[in-house]
Amino acid sequence: MKRILSLLTVHVILMPAILTGQIITNPDSVSVYLNQAVLVDVLANDYEISNDSIYVDNASGWPVISNRYVVVELGNNYLGVTGRVDTIIYSVRQVNGPATNTGELYVTLINESFDVLDVNNLSARFTAFGSHFWDLAGKSEFYAPKWTTKTPIFSKSLWIGGQNSTGGLHLAAEQYRINGQDFWAGPVSLVYDPVYDQTWMRVWKLTKDEVHHHIANYNNTGYTPIPDIAGWPAHGDTLNGQAWHLAPFHDVNNNGIYEPMLGDYPLIRGDMSLFFIFNDARDVHTESGGTPLGIEIHGMAYAFDMPADTILHNTIFLHYDIINRSANQYTNCWAGIFADIDIGFAYDDYMACDVENGGFIGYNGTAVDGTGQPYAYGAFPPAMGIQLLGGPYMVPDGLDNPKTDSLGNSLCDVSLNGANFGNGIADDERLGLCRFMVLPQGSYGTMPATPAEYFNYLQGIWADNTYLLYGGNGHAGSAAYGPVCSFMYPMDSDSCNFGTGGIAPNGPQYWTEITAGNQPFDRKAIGSSGPFTFNPGDTHQLDIAFLVLFDSITNQPVTKIPDGFSYIKDLFLSSPAMFDVKTSVKEVFVPARRNLKLYPNPATGLVNVSGLNSSNQSVYRIYGVSGNLITAGVFGSNNSVDVSNLRPGLYILNVLTDDGAHSLKFIKQ
């Protein structure tokens, strides 16, 4: 762990000495981590030729200690920077004489607060604190293709809000962190200090091959794991109130402790993953002004190295586990994706929504993007799609809610673009995209400035407290013809009128920015999911895909995005293991040979497991559907477990026997 106020050895740069009077100075250099304060002995390689004493008079406004050490600390205003950041000029004086001179201290920042996901055709920057894709100084770092300077999106951030038991609003939402911040890197903690910042202001980056190399070599003599495996953030500091289990890992000996040199290894997704943790509980929310919820978000961005698959080759995925670390139950909760989609040049774009596939789209409104800017695409620009593959869990009702009716026809309800409907498992259903609004749209749709306005937009309500209406630009003052709706500019993607509650629009159903008469311009949007209930200790999830699709023939890439959305959604639903943390190391899991059965299911009091050897006590663990450990213990002689104290819902009973781990799902009524 990096330590604050480390005394660093100065590296001498061999440059010609500067002679003024009797003092000789040589340039110094130092590398520092973000939010790490270090003392640099700038006089270590300076001297007065007659051996008289010298001292530092000042250092360009940087603190000086004992007239010798310059204090260097690069705080959060350097979040977007890495590499050489400053040259400090310090003034040296002779103690017993008039000689003076100046020296130079070159400062290089080692910034681990962001990293780049670049395993396929895309390259995207993700940060430790949840504001993704841009450098916090006005430049996008989402490149498509990755070997170019072309960028299809500027930024993305999380909005989430809900109401406590008395109706009070709690909200965390960021636009650009210009006026402040609502999220901070790291887990919820009792102590936030420089040591905490140095530990958690970082992103961990791993590839599947690196994990496999560790699995194959951890017990070899002389093997040393790479830093992101050795320092995988599996555990928090419980003495400071942090949760013990954080980053996911495979626990070889099932002792609950991450021990990479005993064979434990990180669990990642895809062929490359970036892992980070952030929270909204650390301080006052100065971006939105909202009251903190007390949530902790575990983020994992990932992608697949599959060049033959054109769509996956141009898609990046993001998984969030959002954990309620507070003592509050929140109802009427909404979680949303705020995105500033700029297809190269920002001021010639349109946006649209694909209701049935649960995504929204940014596309160029002109045949040629921009006027030759290095980030613009020129002719044949791509389209950018953001898809909510799976949102928060629905309130448990003990049922496997269907996706189709008895005749096999798709239902026109939340199952239309949600996940896990009709899969034979009760209460694992997840909401999909439930609202979509494009901002700004005039005085009624200005960018949010108050917590209530943020929360309005999450729910499909304008800043003036009127509901989104069908047609025009979604407001009575902009040629909307109604009725109240959930999605702006749905094109022809809502054939069953899900977004209007089954009611046919009062005008043309085909609705786009073009039918609204808009000119292409800079577009921002919020796509959200809800409402859901968020109990203390619960975890809700968001699974998001970012697709960039090109069409060099018809110059109509927006028509291709729904095809890409459909492909990704089908893959996500039909091959869930592909998107799970076990995917990248699946070959090390040994299929269980023992035939275990759990009954009764559903259960109210005891659940029993048949097939166990009653002469050996077996260890069990009960997990929630989001993977959080609920309880653990050892089976008694009757091989039963009392689950009467569990809340109603779906659970996983994990049983460890001599031939491996067994997972049995059951429903608590």
Side-chain angles (χ1 to χ4, degrees):
M1 181 182 294
K2 299 178 285 294
R3 298 294 182 188
I4 187 169
L5 295 177
S6 305
L7 186 59
L8 301 188
T9 301
V10 173
H11 304 283
V12 178
I13 300 176
L14 297 179
M15 294 178 63
I18 302 171
L19 177 60
T20 301
Q22 296 176 314
I23 297 177
I24 307 299
T25 63
N26 289 286
D28 306 316
S29 67
V30 63
S31 295
V32 298
Y33 288 90
L34 191 69
N35 290 311
Q36 176 194 27
V38 298
L39 300 180
V40 183
D41 184 357
V42 294
L43 296 185
N45 59 349
D46 302 336
Y47 61 95
E48 197 274 329
I49 60 175
S50 64
N51 292 324
D52 193 6
S53 298
I54 55 178
Y55 66 96
V56 177
D57 184 38
N58 64 75
S60 303
W62 292 78
V64 177
I65 294 179
S66 301
N67 295 114
R68 183 179 187 94
Y69 304 100
V70 175
V71 181
V72 179
E73 182 175 10
L74 303 178
N76 287 339
N77 55 319
Y78 288 89
L79 278 173
V81 180
T82 191
R84 175 77 173 277
V85 297
D86 211 343
T87 300
I88 298 174
I89 306 298
Y90 61 93
S91 175
V92 186
R93 293 185 179 277
Q94 184 180 6
V95 171
N96 298 306
T100 62
N101 202 353
T102 58
E104 295 179 329
L105 170 61
Y106 303 130
V107 180
T108 298
L109 174 64
I110 302 173
N111 188 353
E112 297 179 312
S113 68
F114 68 90
D115 215 321
V116 174
L117 189 68
D118 56 358
V119 73
N120 58 11
N121 195 44
L122 309 176
S123 174
R125 169 178 175 147
F126 287 85
T127 70
F129 42 87
S131 185
H132 302 312
F133 302 156
W134 69 304
D135 67 351
L136 305 183
K139 182 170 71 73
S140 170
E141 292 191 359
F142 188 121
Y143 299 109
K146 65 182 178 184
W147 42 268
T148 71
T149 58
K150 316 300 183 184
T151 57
I153 185 171
F154 181 71
S155 66
K156 174 267 165 196
S157 56
L158 175 68
W159 293 6
I160 181 169
Q163 295 171 302
N164 63 24
S165 59
T166 61
L169 175 61
H170 294 246
L171 181 129
E174 290 186 349
Q175 297 178 43
Y176 304 102
R177 298 172 71 94
I178 293 174
N179 300 316
Q181 61 191 104
D182 282 19
F183 294 110
W184 293 263
V188 173
S189 181
L190 296 176
V191 177
Y192 302 99
D193 58 18
V195 173
Y196 172 97
D197 288 335
Q198 292 159 32
T199 302
W200 295 108
M201 185 65 82
R202 63 167 297 181
V203 174
W204 286 261
K205 180 176 183 177
L206 287 173
T207 67
K208 179 176 68 175
D209 290 343
E210 289 170 339
V211 174
H212 286 177
H213 178 77
H214 172 75
I215 294 170
N217 293 279
Y218 75 90
N219 57 354
N220 290 344
T221 302
Y223 170 75
T224 300
I226 61 175
D228 280 3
I229 289 180
W232 186 246
H235 304 301
D237 183 352
T238 56
L239 294 179
N240 282 333
Q242 299 166 24
W244 173 244
H245 289 293
L246 296 175
F249 68 96
H250 180 64
D251 189 1
V252 172
N253 60 11
N254 289 291
N255 68 349
I257 302 172
Y258 179 64
E259 300 163 312
M261 296 312 294
L262 295 182
D264 293 350
Y265 53 85
L267 293 176
I268 66 171
R269 288 175 163 84
D271 294 314
M272 177 185 288
S273 278
L274 305 179
F275 180 80
F276 48 92
I277 297 176
F278 59 107
N279 75 86
D280 89 315
R282 177 167 178 165
D283 210 336
V284 176
H285 290 187
T286 50
E287 173 81 87
S288 73
T291 301
L293 293 100
I295 57 174
E296 177 177 303
I297 302 99
H298 298 183
M300 187 173 286
Y302 62 103
F304 298 93
D305 183 14
M306 300 175 66
D309 188 319
T310 304
I311 296 177
L312 281 179
H313 194 47
N314 289 282
T315 301
I316 282 174
F317 299 91
L318 177 61
H319 176 87
Y320 281 149
D321 287 316
I322 307 174
I323 307 164
N324 183 359
R325 299 290 193 202
S326 80
N328 297 325
Q329 180 197 58
Y330 300 112
T331 57
N332 191 30
C333 284
W334 290 80
I337 309 159
F338 172 71
D340 185 346
I341 296 180
D342 297 337
I343 308 298
F345 181 66
Y347 298 96
D348 57 6
D349 295 341
Y350 284 137
M351 296 197 77
C353 183
D354 183 346
V355 175
E356 292 168 3
N357 285 312
F360 54 96
I361 304 162
Y363 62 104
N364 226 67
T366 57
V368 176
D369 176 51
T371 56
Q373 296 89 347
Y375 48 82
Y377 283 93
F380 308 114
M384 179 83 204
I386 300 178
Q387 185 177 22
L388 184 59
L389 297 169
Y393 289 95
M394 294 180 62
V395 176
D397 58 7
L399 303 174
D400 173 28
N401 293 281
K403 188 176 182 65
T404 59
D405 61 19
S406 59
L407 300 177
N409 300 310
S410 295
L411 297 174
C412 192
D413 59 17
V414 291
S415 67
L416 185 70
N417 61 27
N420 302 334
F421 289 81
N423 64 353
I425 302 173
D427 293 334
D428 69 338
E429 296 89 353
R430 297 172 64 184
L431 298 168
L433 186 70
C434 301
R435 300 288 188 273
F436 173 71
M437 299 183 76
V438 177
L439 308 172
Q441 293 288 342
S443 60
Y444 54 88
T446 54
M447 298 303 292
T450 67
E453 290 178 355
Y454 279 97
F455 198 51
N456 270 1
Y457 287 135
L458 283 168
Q459 300 173 90
I461 303 172
W462 292 111
D464 66 359
N465 295 314
T466 61
Y467 284 89
L468 178 66
L469 297 175
Y470 208 93
N473 282 313
H475 190 273
S478 66
Y481 39 82
V484 171
C485 66
S486 300
F487 308 98
M488 290 183 72
Y489 312 132
M491 304 180 292
D492 56 359
S493 69
D494 190 7
S495 58
C496 74
N497 297 315
F498 167 54
T500 53
I503 302 172
N506 299 328
Q509 185 174 41
Y510 187 75
W511 177 24
T512 69
E513 290 215 60
I514 296 174
T515 67
N518 292 341
Q519 294 298 312
F521 198 63
D522 187 18
R523 296 290 187 261
K524 305 167 184 65
I526 175 70
S528 57
S529 187
F532 61 97
T533 299
F534 209 173
N535 293 309
D538 278 359
T539 298
H540 281 283
Q541 299 179 333
L542 295 180
D543 282 284
I544 308 163
F546 302 89
L547 295 75
V548 184
L549 294 185
F550 298 84
D551 188 339
S552 61
I553 299 175
T554 66
N555 197 31
Q556 294 296 323
V558 66
T559 63
K560 291 288 186 80
I561 286 285
D563 293 338
F565 278 163
S566 179
Y567 176 83
I568 293 295
K569 190 62 175 276
D570 288 346
L571 198 61
F572 181 78
L573 294 177
S574 64
S575 304
M578 180 178 178
F579 299 89
D580 187 73
V581 289
K582 300 181 182 64
T583 298
S584 62
V585 288
K586 61 185 178 183
E587 60 269 34
V588 306
F589 288 87
V590 179
R593 296 181 296 276
R594 193 182 298 269
N595 183 23
L596 300 185
K597 294 183 179 180
L598 179 149
Y599 66 94
N601 192 7
T604 56
L606 296 178
V607 292
N608 306 288
V609 177
S610 64
L612 290 174
N613 186 344
S614 59
S615 63
N616 295 319
Q617 288 188 321
S618 297
V619 175
Y620 71 84
R621 292 182 173 89
I622 297 178
Y623 295 90
V625 291
S626 58
N628 55 311
L629 179 64
I630 305 297
T631 187
V634 177
F635 283 102
S637 58
N638 58 355
N639 294 333
S640 63
V641 179
D642 185 356
V643 298
S644 59
N645 290 328
L646 298 181
R647 293 192 185 97
L650 176 68
Y651 294 91
I652 300 171
L653 178 67
N654 181 269
V655 184
L656 181 64
T657 68
D658 54 5
D659 61 356
H662 307 246
S663 293
L664 306 170
K665 294 182 180 179
F666 71 94
I667 297 169
K668 168 59 172 38
Q669 288 187 333

